[in-house]
Amino acid sequence: MNYNITLIPGDGIGPEVVAGAVKVLDKVAAKFGHEFSLTEKLAGGIAIDATGVPLPQDTIDAAKAADAVLLGAVGGPKWDDQPGSNRPEMAILGLRKELGLYANLRPAILFDELKDACPLKPEIIVGGLDILVVRELTGGIYFGEKGTKTVDGEEVAYDVEQYSVSEIERIARVAFEMAQKRSKKVTSVDKANVLESSRLWRRTVERIAKDYPDVTLDHLYIDNAAMQLVRAPKQFDVILTSNIFGDILSDEASQITGSIGMLPSSSLSDGGFGLYEPIHGSAPDIAGTDKANPIATIMSLSMLLRYSLSLAAEADAIDQAVETFLKDGYRTVDIAEDGKKVVGTKEAGDIIANYL
Ligand code: IPM
Ligand code: MG
């Protein structure tokens, strides 16, 4: 089969980790007899430097025309002085909105091989961790009305948290459907004791839950959820939450699985189209030093094949290659341990690709 993938390497370590994923994709193509047409496009700081804007129309058009998008990372101190509307991060927000990517899936899995990298006490994580954060991605405070004004002679800034019933319904359905394929439990996280938008969220999630009687639903306030995630993370299967709460909880969930360098994500619209990216960001401090961990991007590629191209066997083969890499004692700097073989970004990509 022939598939079109738009690659957006972006800034910082983005190009390095995407290069690792491309090596893996080449092997998948050879092994399974597929052809992947890759088109590379600009977004983020590199796009600001080249075109003046973080998300050129040409990148949006290419992404829309593709079967899926693989993104590295955007941002860096070089562009910190850009006005809010022209920051590199606007490329990601713009892509999410333009492509209708409302469902963000962020799996946080503690690999058996990396148990020692988990900062929690061993008794808290007996049997491992496998949490899926389902984050609403195109609504809420990220996209609500925002602005600045003068009140009583003083500068005031505001960002409005707002959700419609249909926005909540569709993300809730994604969470319940995911839970049906897993341990059949959804924890919806909100701040319904304070926020009106959270009360609508909770009512709507409860109503949608009736269509999924095989799934258990419970609710936690965001402050409590943040605490429970480190106190007793094994109570979680699928965490369903809003854009801003999901941003925060997914970073926390990533840390308890050892390294943010390991975690992939997918951002999906209806119909299987998606954008896939590691959750770690551009890490400008280590860019160009061959220290980045390409595994999160390689696992994002695996999700791309599984969810957007329906290539499950190919995705399984990639997951297997990553596990073998770890089992054979290879580590990148972020997950280095005594007695293990520490390799750079390039070598890690080569080794994982060769396992295919
Ligand atoms: C993420 C990131 C983004 C977000 C930034 C880069 C805009 O933190 O994907 O979690 O806040 O959504
Ligand atoms: Mg984030």
Side-chain angles (χ1 to χ4, degrees):
M1 286 282 286
N2 192 349
Y3 303 95
N4 290 312
I5 298 175
T6 296
L7 293 179
I8 305 182
D11 307 318
I13 60 171
E16 298 164 54
V17 291
V18 167
V22 169
K23 283 185 235 172
V24 170
L25 190 61
D26 287 343
K27 284 284 181 161
V28 169
K31 181 174 170 145
F32 292 88
H34 300 303
E35 204 178 300
F36 298 102
S37 311
L38 306 179
T39 314
E40 208 170 300
K41 292 291 170 186
L42 299 179
I46 189 173
I48 296 175
D49 290 349
T51 71
V53 294
L55 182 59
Q57 186 61 42
D58 161 60
T59 300
I60 300 173
D61 294 342
K64 279 187 177 160
D67 295 311
V69 181
L70 183 69
L71 186 142
V74 298
K78 183 177 176 196
W79 304 280
D80 273 350
D81 297 337
Q82 291 285 328
S85 59
N86 212 52
R87 289 183 61 93
E89 289 78 6
M90 290 310 290
I92 298 225
L93 299 182
L95 282 167
R96 289 174 183 168
K97 200 69 180 178
E98 289 280 344
L99 304 174
L101 307 171
Y102 67 87
N104 188 207
L105 310 185
R106 298 191 162 186
I109 296 164
L110 180 59
F111 284 77
D112 210 40
E113 284 291 328
L114 296 182
K115 277 201 302 267
D116 292 340
C118 173
L120 302 179
K121 290 195 189 120
E123 60 265 32
I124 298 182
I125 52 160
V126 188
L129 290 174
D130 183 355
I131 298 169
L132 178 66
V133 178
V134 176
R135 170 190 178 194
E136 198 291 326
L137 203 59
T138 52
I141 196 167
Y142 274 59
F143 294 97
E145 193 190 326
K146 61 176 80 231
T148 55
K149 57 186 177 185
T150 305
V151 177
D152 296 335
E154 190 184 16
E155 188 181 7
V156 170
Y158 59 95
D159 302 86
V160 176
E161 170 79 347
Q162 175 176 317
Y163 270 109
S164 67
V165 169
S166 57
E167 284 175 313
I168 303 166
E169 281 176 354
R170 63 182 183 178
I171 192 68
R173 289 196 187 281
V174 171
F176 285 110
E177 275 156 31
M178 285 290 153
Q180 282 182 324
K181 296 181 209 149
R182 300 167 44 97
S183 303
K184 302 193 166 46
K185 182 175 177 197
V186 169
T187 303
S188 176
V189 173
D190 62 35
K191 188 70 184 173
N193 51 344
V194 177
L195 303 178
E196 202 56 48
S197 53
S198 280
R199 287 190 276 272
L200 181 65
W201 179 280
R202 192 175 281 219
R203 276 203 307 280
T204 307
V205 171
E206 269 171 359
R207 179 166 48 73
I208 295 299
K210 297 201 177 90
D211 293 342
Y212 304 86
D214 53 329
V215 177
T216 314
L217 169 68
D218 61 7
H219 304 274
L220 286 181
Y221 297 138
I222 175 66
D223 48 350
N224 189 14
M227 180 183 73
Q228 296 297 339
L229 209 42
V230 289
R231 196 191 70 88
K234 290 193 64 71
Q235 69 185 283
F236 295 106
D237 175 23
V238 173
I239 295 178
L240 161 64
T241 193
S242 64
N243 205 342
I244 183 95
F245 295 158
D247 180 44
I248 298 162
L249 284 185
S250 60
D251 266 31
E252 190 185 358
S254 77
Q255 194 51 43
I256 64 175
T257 64
S259 169
I260 198 165
M262 300 288 299
L263 294 198
S265 78
S266 58
S267 306
L268 307 172
S269 65
D270 285 324
F273 179 80
L275 178 147
Y276 299 79
E277 59 175 319
I279 80 156
H280 51 58
S282 62
D285 52 323
I286 58 163
T289 65
D290 201 39
K291 286 197 181 124
N293 184 346
I295 291 180
T297 311
I298 291 169
M299 299 294 283
S300 298
L301 174 67
S302 158
M303 290 183 96
L304 183 158
L305 298 177
R306 193 182 300 283
Y307 291 125
S308 285
L309 309 184
S310 298
L311 299 176
E314 290 80 345
D316 288 344
I318 295 178
D319 296 352
Q320 194 56 56
V322 169
E323 255 180 59
T324 310
F325 172 86
L326 296 172
K327 281 218 175 73
D328 284 355
Y330 292 108
R331 296 288 185 272
T332 43
V333 178
D334 56 314
I335 49 174
E337 277 173 76
D338 281 349
K340 303 290 181 190
K341 294 168 268 191
V342 177
V343 295
T345 314
K346 280 203 200 81
E347 201 182 343
D350 288 335
I351 295 169
I352 294 170
N354 280 332
Y355 283 127
L356 281 148

